[in-house]
Amino acid sequence: MKNSIRPASLFACVALGGIACLAGAGVAAAANTGPRILGLSDMMKLSDKTEDQLEAAKEATRKYKDINVALAEGFFQGSPDVPGEGFHYLNPARLDCKFDPAHPEILLYAFLPGQTQLKLVALEYAIPFACMPANGPPPEGFAGNLDVWHNDEPVPFWTVNAWLYFRNPNGLFTLENPLVP
């Protein structure tokens, strides 16, 4: 009897160890070093249209990983280092009354732990209060209702962040990322 329990116990331990290794690999795949940005919970809630908009945004903005490209295209530093967001680089020529996923008005860059160069971490979209009053409903942005627009004074804009370049454990469209110092 003991002989049959040991192999079964050994098999159970090996199986559980394999599951733990797979779980660890899943966590590693979701880490900030890989291409994966969205958490599983984000992906379950995104509509096809939202995914298409996010893909268009990422395709159009990938070049801004090099901050020199952003500077050459008219973005400039518009804020000090904001905890949870980083430095805001604004392109005033893009400030208008339209939401276009492929043309964010603001790029968020941050010095991440252990790095000495700014890294593109998120896109920020801004609609001026002149277009959408602060006391009115928020702008229509990404498809669905997951994007949460903010109208924080004294900045005279509605804004929403999309954390496409650095995973945010609080969600794709949240204002701040606890992993950004």
Side-chain angles (χ1 to χ4, degrees):
M1 188 72 149
K2 287 184 180 180
N3 288 340
S4 64
I5 292 175
R6 281 193 182 157
S9 298
L10 180 62
F11 176 78
C13 288
V14 169
L16 287 174
I19 290 170
C21 287
L22 289 175
V27 169
N32 291 319
T33 57
R36 183 184 162 104
I37 295 297
L38 304 176
L40 182 59
S41 62
D42 287 325
M43 295 194 58
M44 297 298 229
K45 299 174 191 172
L46 296 177
S47 69
D48 288 342
K49 182 167 182 174
T50 305
E51 287 184 35
D52 291 344
Q53 289 174 314
L54 292 169
E55 285 297 323
K58 193 150 189 187
E59 182 63 31
T61 60
R62 188 177 326 258
K63 62 187 174 184
Y64 299 129
K65 287 182 174 184
D66 181 346
I67 195 167
N68 293 313
V69 173
L71 294 170
E73 290 192 15
F75 287 90
F76 68 91
Q77 185 178 336
S79 79
D81 190 3
V82 176
E85 286 188 283
F87 296 92
H88 292 67
Y89 279 73
L90 169 72
N91 186 331
R94 291 188 176 189
L95 280 173
D96 56 24
C97 298
K98 299 180 293 184
F99 171 78
D100 180 353
H103 295 94
E105 291 77 11
I106 302 165
L107 305 173
L108 299 179
Y109 290 90
F111 287 109
L112 299 175
Q115 295 189 4
T116 58
Q117 293 186 335
L118 285 172
K119 176 180 166 127
L120 177 63
V121 292
L123 311 176
E124 186 167 344
Y125 298 89
I127 304 288
F129 288 162
C131 303
M132 301 285 302
N135 61 353
E140 291 290 324
F142 288 95
N145 60 357
L146 292 178
D147 58 340
V148 179
W149 289 78
H150 301 272
N151 60 354
D152 301 325
E153 297 287 348
V155 181
F157 309 115
W158 283 94
T159 61
V160 65
N161 292 348
W163 293 92
L164 291 180
Y165 291 96
F166 190 67
R167 187 179 174 283
N168 186 338
N170 291 341
L172 177 64
F173 295 117
T174 56
L175 179 63
E176 295 178 346
N177 186 332
L179 302 178
V180 173

